[in-house]
Each structure stands twice: as C-alpha cells, then as structure tokens.
Amino acid sequence: MQTNEYLELETEDAIKRFHSGENFYSQHVFGYHQEDQDGETGFVFRVWAPNAQQIWLVGTFNDWDESLPMEKNEVYGYWEVFTGKPSENDLYKYKVRQADGRVVYKIDPFAIAFEKRPDNAAVIHHVPEKKWKDGLWYGRKKRSNFFQRPINIYEVHASSWKHHEDGTPYSFADLKEELIPYVKKMGYTHIEFMPLMEHPLGASWGYQLIGYFALSSYYGKPEEFQDFVEACHKENIGVFVDWVPGHCCINDDALPKYDGTPQFEYENPDRAANIRWGSVNFDLGKPEVQSFLISSALFWLEMYHIDGIRVDAVSSMLYLDYDDGPWEPNHEGGNRNYEGYYFLQKLNAVVKLAHPEVIMIAEESSSDTQITGLIESGALGFDYKWNMGWMNDVLDFYKMDPAFRKDHFNLITFSFMYMMQENYILPLSHDEVVHGKRSLMHKMWGDRYKQFSQLRNLYTYMIAHPGKKLLFMGSEWGQFLEWKYDEGLEWRDLDDPMNNSMQHFTTSLNALYKEQPALWELEESYDTISIIDADNRNDSVLSFIRKSKKKKDFLIIILNMTPVERQDFPIGVPYQGSYKEIWNTEMQEFGGTWKEHNPDQLTEEVPFKEYPYRIKTVVPALGALILQPDKIKIPRKRPSAK
C-alpha cells in the first residue's frame, strides 16, 4: 500500500472518531499539516464545515484570491486542499461561501498562532519539538498527593502584571526573567493565568476566545510559553491556565455560524445566545464539539506541560436558566443542562485517564450539583471548586463597620458548616477588584492603618481556613487602585513603607503556610479543624484549631474582628502545658505597632467551652494570632482491658 493510501485511511479513521465525539487529538487531522504527496512536499489544510457551499484557502501566499479552492468530502463534511505554497509566517484564512450563499472570511478553528490583534489571520508557524527538562518536577508530582500538599496560587493576567517603560506589556520571555523569581520570592506554589488563548478584545480579559489551540500573539510565541513553564517547574512552581469551553467570541469571522448554520453552537437561538456575556454558547451535546473542546484541553496540557486547568463559568454550562434570556425546561421539566453536565464529566474522565496528576478546577457558583469527587457518584469529577460563597460572605464582612459585625458574625463562620461538601479553593480573585468593586485594600473599613490591619487579618484567616488558596496579583501588597487590564500593576506603591511592609507580610504568611502541615495535611477531613469559639459575637473574636497527622502538631488561630484590643482574652486548649505565639499580624515588621510577641502562655486548669484547659493572651485590635504548642502533656491512651 502506498504512503498516500495509509494517510487517507488514518485521516478517515480520525475523522470518524471526530464525528463520534471520541477524537481527543483532532488538531492532528484538522488545521494545516506538512505532508508529502506524489513526491511533492507541501501542506494539507482541512476544515470541518458540512453545510458550506464552497471554501477557498486564501492568504499572503496567493494574494488572498480564489486560486486554492478546497474539495469537500461529502461523507464527513470536511474540506481540504493540498498546496506547496505557504511558508513560515505566511498568513491565511478560509473564504467560506456559506449555506445561504453569503461569503465570509473565517479563521481556522485549529490554528496554533494568529497575527496580533486587532487583525486575526492565522499564521503558519512550526513550533520546534522541545526537549523538556522538567522530569524532576513530574516525578515529584506523581509521587505526591496534591490534596495533602500546600497549594497557594498567585493569579495573573499576563499582559497587565508589568509593562515596559514604553507601555508595552511583557511577553513570556520577559515574564520568565521577572515573574518567576518574584513568585518564588513571595512563596507561592502555583501561578494561575487568566486565559492565554487567542482573543480579539483585551477588555474580555481572554474569556471570549477565537483560538482554542493558539497562544495569543499578544504574549509571544508558543515556544516562549513552553520555556516559561519549564523554568517554573525547575523552581518548583506549578502552572495553571484558565480555559473557557462554555462559550466563544461572537465575531462574524470566528466560530459562530461557521458554515452558515449553527455548527458549533446550539440550533435553538435562545440556547445559542449568551446574553450576559455577549457571546455564543457551544452545543456541548454535539459530538464534534466535544472532540474539538477536549482536544483543546489536552493540547494545552501536553503542548505546554501545564499542571492544571481552571474551567471558567461552569454554572453557565450546567443550568438552562443561568443566563438572562428566555429558556425552556429539559425533558424532565427542570433546569439541568444535561448536555453540559455529561460533557464536563466526559472532559474530566478523559483528562484524568491520560494525566491523573493534572489538577482540574471549576469556577462554579451554585450548590445544586456536586462538582468535585468521583464521577461514579454523580459528581462532575473536578478536583477543586472555587468557594464563591466563602469569598462573598467574607468580603461583605470585612467591608462592614466593626460596630455591626457582631450582628453578622455568621458571615465568617457559616463556611465551617459546609467546608467539606466539596474540595475547595478559597479565591480572592480578579473578579473582586474590577468594575467599581474596589481593590481588596480599598474594601477594608476605616482609615489607611486600619485597612492594612484588616487586610493582614483577612489573609491570615484565608491561610488558616481549610481549603487551598488563591490571591490576585497586586493584592499581595495592598494595591489601592482597582485592577486595569490594559495597564501594569502599581509597582510604585512599593516605595511606600506601608505597602512594602504588606508585601513582606504576605511573603512571611506564605512561608508559614508551607512550613505548617496543620494548614494543609488533613484538608480532606473534618479532622483538620476543631472550633474553639465561633459564638463570641459581642467581642467578635473567632478562634479555632488546625491539626496535622501528628497529634502534637497543631495551631491555634485567633482573629479579632474589632478595633478593640482584648486583654487577658481566654482561649480553650486541648492539652496542659505552654503555648508559644508564632504569628502576630500587628508586629512592626508587618506595618503594625507591636515590638514584641506575647509571652508564652501557661495553661490553667479551667475548662473553656469543650476544652479542659485555657490560656489567656492579649489579642491586638483588628489583629490575628497563631499559637503553637511548645511544651505540652498529651495523655497516653490506657490499654484496653482484655
């Protein structure tokens, strides 16, 4: 059999699997590929557009004319053309005569590179095969259980972290030299990027995509991002990327009505229209769309060695009534979007089968569907869910005048009631510092000193609360201005002693988090926490214990939510002995006024709440303390009678 015949058989099999929803590497058959045909080396271009009347390949190599008509495979509805003309950096599009005869220039859905926006032609670019040097990182990942390891995420918008003096954003070559050392210095375990895929409008922050296989040219070349991830892994930093499979950019030259009919989107116009975000919803029940999207997810995991994906807007894929427009109940009369539900289960099953060590994260705001856990139990199969309820409650509380906090104390204690229902990430993300919501620093009540005090209190509460952590860039030093997607962060803030001290505080807190197994080792179980006092509304002081696998290694967390210093404040403890203060948010080095820690505290044989002993300490106004057992007596278990 000739080589061309083998290629034809492989292509036919791949396209059959694409149509059945089981081709998870569909970029290997669609898009452009260099091939030899009849002794000639050239490119094969393929695109799926079953209802188009005619398609031409047009580009800089043929002056954008109709000299390269594509031929349709009537059985499988794809078009292809073989040509020897294109070369590196040539631009191209597909000129599509749609089902109704309208002629539109369309992007290549499988392109791996585009020209810089606002233009959007695909670019012929061959990424050299990389010899990765991150084997040690992968080995450690496979040997460890990420549920029982610290995860502290620094969320980044790649083009607004820092700008050059001329106002141009950093590329990944630049970020490799500056962002990685910064994240290492700050002590974060992972970087999470807002979407890096090609998008035509910067104001969408990357959440309205056109190129599901393309790194945005705004950020540099694909090989630069590969090098960035490799460099992160060498410094023991993981990399997550946001990804948007629910909806896509509405632009006429992108995916919507690609062949003139609802090809990627739902046929029902009410279901296809995403009114809230001005985009188009994918038909997640269509097998070809499943192949397309899951191929995109695996492409990013394997092409760039990223360590996890955060799936955006999961609720919009789960509920028919999530959007603002009209909707129809499902066949059972409910609001469940079964196509989205089963697609997300399929996505997680495929990813976990191929890459069990990858972390799958859902940004999801409801409580009607089990998001994390085994698919066999009815869950979607994600590893983590953003805890949006915790985030909303906590920020509402910290914005409040302390005089009223005693009446709303449940805002910071309610999460203890449901904290084990899912595997959670506690997010203080980009969504909370834009559109007039104010920065985290600016949300805090009071004058500037009190704002910094409360920000330190809030971050200590987040680190001490069960769940993995996420903080948006700039929040680590208390940037006062809201985030602006088209400008760099306010790095000049760090010339201010208060901002500089805040940054040092966050660095120290991140180090404490990694050093203390009690803050992450047992997070899958209620054994990780014991509440000391969550009912002290009048004083508005919350206290609880975080525990590790070793009985003697635990931490006592005390949070004062008022601007009143609490003298001789009683705290219940489980064991007799002495307790040492290892964390005080009001130390001078952090921007507070305290020069020395509280002295070690000896227990009194006085019961407190459910605890047989108590200690007394001074709790700073708007401050947070963490105490550690120093010399304690743990009773031995008596042997059972035989």
Side-chain angles (χ1 to χ4, degrees):
M1 187 178 290
Q2 298 296 318
T3 302
N4 288 355
E5 293 177 279
Y6 277 119
L7 289 173
E8 289 173 6
L9 288 175
E10 290 174 1
T11 300
E12 183 177 347
D13 179 64
I15 290 175
K16 282 182 180 178
R17 287 185 286 109
F18 174 77
H19 284 293
S20 68
E22 299 297 325
N23 187 339
F24 308 131
Y25 294 92
S26 50
Q27 72 275 15
H28 291 169
V29 65
F30 293 107
Y32 69 85
H33 304 279
Q34 188 169 319
E35 289 184 9
D36 293 327
Q37 289 192 15
D38 301 324
E40 181 183 0
T41 299
F43 291 92
V44 171
F45 289 78
R46 292 190 189 91
V47 62
W48 172 56
N51 296 304
Q53 294 182 14
Q54 179 60 54
I55 300 181
W56 297 266
L57 172 66
V58 298
T60 52
F61 41 80
N62 67 349
D63 295 325
W64 304 93
D65 65 21
E66 298 180 359
S67 61
L68 290 172
M70 304 178 78
E71 294 184 7
K72 183 180 182 181
N73 182 298
E74 296 290 347
V75 177
Y76 298 110
Y78 69 90
W79 299 74
E80 72 175 11
V81 64
F82 177 80
T83 176
K85 292 183 177 181
S87 59
E88 188 76 5
N89 297 322
D90 269 333
L91 306 179
Y92 74 97
K93 288 187 176 184
Y94 295 122
K95 185 176 181 180
V96 182
R97 181 182 291 142
Q98 296 181 314
D100 61 357
R102 181 169 174 258
V103 176
V104 181
Y105 289 89
K106 287 284 191 178
I107 65 165
D108 180 358
F110 291 89
I112 63 168
F114 286 87
E115 60 182 334
K116 288 189 176 180
R117 59 177 187 251
D119 298 318
N120 66 354
V123 179
I124 302 291
H125 180 60
H126 295 88
V127 182
E129 185 174 354
K130 183 173 178 62
K131 295 182 179 179
W132 289 86
K133 299 176 182 177
D134 57 357
L136 287 176
W137 169 262
Y138 266 83
R140 282 192 293 268
K141 278 208 310 181
K142 289 180 179 179
R143 291 191 299 271
S144 66
N145 178 352
F146 55 76
F147 289 111
Q148 297 176 5
R149 298 295 301 162
I151 294 180
N152 190 7
I153 304 164
Y154 187 59
E155 188 190 23
V156 173
H157 180 251
S159 60
S160 61
W161 184 72
K162 189 176 282 191
H163 281 195
H164 294 288
E165 291 184 4
D166 64 359
T168 57
Y170 274 24
S171 70
F172 269 105
D174 301 318
L175 292 171
K176 176 183 172 183
E177 299 303 319
E178 291 199 35
L179 177 59
I180 295 173
Y182 181 78
V183 169
K184 184 178 181 182
K185 171 191 167 186
M186 292 299 300
Y188 291 100
T189 64
H190 292 75
I191 302 170
E192 180 177 317
F193 286 107
M194 294 161 69
L196 301 176
M197 301 82 186
E198 192 60 74
H199 54 284
L201 182 64
S204 77
W205 313 337
Y207 290 99
Q208 294 196 14
L209 306 179
I210 60 171
Y212 277 76
F213 296 82
L215 177 76
S216 174
S217 57
Y218 208 62
Y219 303 137
K221 296 181 178 179
E223 47 267 46
E224 290 177 325
F225 184 48
Q226 287 181 325
D227 291 344
F228 176 89
V229 175
E230 180 181 72
C232 282
H233 289 171
K234 287 182 176 180
E235 297 294 348
N236 292 324
I237 298 169
V239 180
F240 301 147
V241 172
D242 286 7
W243 181 64
V244 191
H247 62 106
C248 61
C249 178
I250 200 171
N251 286 9
D252 195 39
D253 49 7
L255 300 181
K257 296 289 183 71
Y258 197 89
D259 63 7
T261 67
Q263 183 179 326
F264 287 91
E265 64 268 42
Y266 289 105
E267 290 188 17
N268 182 330
D270 289 336
R271 296 192 67 184
N274 192 312
I275 297 172
R276 183 174 299 185
W277 295 316
S279 55
V280 173
N281 292 321
F282 282 112
D283 182 348
L284 298 174
K286 187 175 288 185
E288 295 88 351
V289 172
Q290 294 176 4
S291 290
F292 174 76
L293 290 172
I294 296 176
S295 294
S296 169
L298 289 179
F299 172 83
W300 281 86
L301 291 168
E302 296 172 0
M303 178 76 168
Y304 297 109
H305 280 207
I306 62 173
D307 303 286
I309 289 174
R310 193 209 72 154
V311 179
D312 183 65
V314 168
S315 293
S316 71
M317 293 181 273
L318 287 178
Y319 305 109
L320 297 169
D321 58 348
Y322 180 80
D323 200 13
D324 300 325
W327 66 282
E328 295 179 5
N330 60 31
H331 64 280
E332 295 177 339
N335 68 341
R336 166 81 73 205
N337 180 355
Y338 282 108
E339 294 96 331
Y341 178 86
Y342 290 122
F343 165 76
L344 290 166
Q345 286 188 325
K346 183 175 182 177
L347 165 71
N348 285 313
V350 171
V351 168
K352 285 296 184 178
L353 182 63
H355 303 285
E357 73 285 355
V358 159
I359 297 176
M360 296 296 289
I361 304 166
E363 187 262 322
E364 204 277 331
S365 55
S366 77
S367 58
D368 295 335
T369 301
Q370 186 70 26
I371 305 299
T372 64
L374 295 176
I375 293 171
E376 293 81 359
S377 69
L380 293 183
F382 285 97
D383 297 304
Y384 291 104
K385 172 184 175 177
W386 273 21
N387 193 336
M388 311 295 279
W390 175 89
M391 177 269 297
N392 285 317
D393 287 349
V394 163
L395 292 182
D396 284 346
F397 184 84
Y398 277 87
K399 287 186 288 187
M400 190 180 299
D401 186 320
F404 304 107
R405 288 179 179 175
K406 64 182 180 181
D407 299 320
H408 301 276
F409 207 58
N410 62 303
L411 288 174
I412 61 161
T413 61
F414 179 61
S415 56
F416 293 136
M417 303 295 293
Y418 65 85
M419 62 187 172
M420 295 300 160
Q421 291 181 7
E422 303 268 13
N423 300 322
Y424 286 115
I425 290 175
L426 308 179
L428 295 174
S429 75
H430 66 275
D431 275 328
E432 306 315 309
V433 296
V434 290
H435 297 327
K437 295 180 183 178
R438 297 177 294 174
S439 67
L440 294 183
M441 169 67 177
H442 197 184
K443 293 179 196 290
M444 300 297 108
W445 168 87
D447 59 30
R448 192 162 186 260
Y449 181 87
K450 292 184 177 69
Q451 287 178 324
F452 274 112
S453 293
Q454 289 171 103
L455 201 62
R456 295 191 296 266
N457 186 306
L458 168 61
Y459 291 175
T460 301
Y461 178 51
M462 178 176 72
I463 286 291
H465 191 289
K468 308 308 184 186
K469 329 296 175 185
L470 179 142
L471 187 68
F472 185 59
M473 63 183 196
S475 303
E476 70 270 22
W477 71 73
Q479 177 171 304
F480 187 80
L481 295 179
E482 280 192 342
W483 167 57
K484 299 175 183 177
Y485 74 90
D486 55 352
E487 297 182 16
L489 295 177
E490 299 288 325
W491 292 96
R492 61 180 177 269
D493 285 353
L494 295 174
D495 294 332
D496 184 293
M498 293 295 286
N499 291 111
N500 198 280
S501 296
M502 186 69 212
Q503 185 190 50
H504 169 61
F505 168 86
T506 305
T507 304
S508 302
L509 183 63
N510 290 347
L512 177 76
Y513 172 62
K514 288 197 287 189
E515 290 165 2
Q516 296 292 339
L519 296 176
W520 38 263
E521 200 170 49
L522 292 176
E523 278 189 323
E524 295 177 276
S525 164
Y526 274 106
D527 291 339
T528 191
I529 191 169
S530 292
I531 303 299
I532 298 174
D533 191 357
D535 299 317
N536 189 339
R537 295 174 178 270
N538 287 333
D539 293 334
S540 296
V541 176
L542 171 64
S543 54
F544 57 93
I545 296 174
R546 289 296 307 276
K547 296 180 282 187
S548 72
K549 292 178 180 178
K550 295 181 180 178
K551 211 168 191 179
K552 65 178 182 179
D553 292 338
F554 61 90
L555 300 175
I556 297 172
I557 291 88
I558 310 162
L559 301 137
N560 184 0
M561 303 303 184
T562 69
V564 179
E565 183 175 276
R566 304 297 176 183
Q567 297 279 342
D568 293 326
F569 193 82
I571 299 292
V573 295
Y575 304 117
Q576 188 177 18
S578 64
Y579 291 80
K580 183 180 185 66
E581 182 180 285
I582 63 168
W583 188 254
N584 185 325
T585 59
E586 285 301 301
M587 301 303 292
Q588 282 187 342
E589 66 172 308
F590 298 147
T593 59
W594 283 44
K595 295 180 180 179
E596 296 180 355
H597 283 277
N598 279 305
D600 291 1
Q601 303 297 318
L602 293 175
T603 53
E604 303 172 333
E605 291 195 38
V606 177
F608 183 90
K609 297 284 183 174
E610 298 179 1
Y611 294 87
Y613 308 98
R614 79 175 185 190
I615 58 174
K616 289 184 176 181
T617 191
V618 180
V619 187
L622 297 173
L625 305 179
I626 299 180
L627 280 57
Q628 190 175 48
D630 186 25
K631 298 174 183 177
I632 58 173
K633 299 176 182 178
I634 300 178
R636 293 184 178 180
K637 286 185 178 180
R638 294 181 179 179
S640 57
K642 293 184 179 179

